[in-house]
């Protein structure tokens, strides 16, 4: 549980990063990602865990799993930006998206129908 002082300190860190000291544009991207991670966590049970994965062309996916089991993804321009944003947001990172982290993901009817796809009459990939 975050207390007011913890939240304020994190917000000040994001504001400092957004002001461009010292890296300018890269710091603004990191701060924006950190805000998005915190917003996701706040919306989905107050906390989140994540995992970083290279997805090609230097980009990194930040897979997020909220305390309520909802999940989402963000994409960073680099692994370092993703790692810095996760640290700034206070995101707990896991090495892999399997085991305990995967078990926390709650999937709904939409996901199940998309996973099954054409095999059981789910929506076609169009």
């Amino acid at each position: 549980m975050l207390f007011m002082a913890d939240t304020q300190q994190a917000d000040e860190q994001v504001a400092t990063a957004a002001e461009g000291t010292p890296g300018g544009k890269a710091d603004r991207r990191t701060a924006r990602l950190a805000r998005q991670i915190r917003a996701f966590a706040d919306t989905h049970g107050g906390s989140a865990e994540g995992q970083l994965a290279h997805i090609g062309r230097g980009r990194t996916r930040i897979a997020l799993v909220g305390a309520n089991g909802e999940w989402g993804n963000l994409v960073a321009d680099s692994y370092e930006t993703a790692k810095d944003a996760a640290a700034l947001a206070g995101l707990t990172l896991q090495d892999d998206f399997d085991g305990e982290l995967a078990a926390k993901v709650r999937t709904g009817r939409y996901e199940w129908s998309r996973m099954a796809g054409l095999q059981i009459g789910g929506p076609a990939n169009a």
Side-chain angles (χ1 to χ4, degrees), residues 50-91:
Q51 190 262 340
L52 305 181
H54 294 282
I55 57 173
R57 296 190 181 221
R59 294 185 177 253
T60 298
R61 176 188 69 155
I62 306 169
L64 301 167
V65 179
N68 66 355
E70 294 290 324
W71 56 277
N73 291 298
L74 293 170
V75 176
D77 291 336
S78 71
Y79 187 84
E80 286 303 315
T81 299
K83 191 169 89 173
D84 292 346
L88 190 58
L91 183 67

Side-chain angles (χ1 to χ4, degrees), residues 2-83:
L2 287 178
F3 296 97
M4 183 66 108
D6 295 334
T7 304
Q8 183 177 4
Q9 180 181 2
D11 289 341
E12 289 170 1
Q13 289 172 342
V14 169
T16 300
E19 290 169 4
T21 22
K25 194 172 188 178
D27 284 341
R28 287 191 301 274
R29 287 182 185 143
T30 300
R32 184 178 68 242
L33 279 170
R35 284 191 305 272
Q36 290 171 324
I37 292 168
R38 277 204 319 274
F40 177 88
D42 291 345
T43 302
H44 298 289
S47 66
E49 294 182 55
Q51 190 262 340
L52 305 181
H54 294 282
I55 57 173
R57 296 190 181 221
R59 294 185 177 253
T60 298
R61 176 188 69 155
I62 306 169
L64 301 167
V65 179
N68 66 355
E70 294 290 324
W71 56 277
N73 291 298
L74 293 170
V75 176
D77 291 336
S78 71
Y79 187 84
E80 286 303 315
T81 299
K83 191 169 89 173

Side-chain angles (χ1 to χ4, degrees), residues 112-114 116-125:
W112 281 103
S113 68
R114 293 298 294 173
L118 300 173
Q119 289 82 5
I120 60 170
N125 289 330

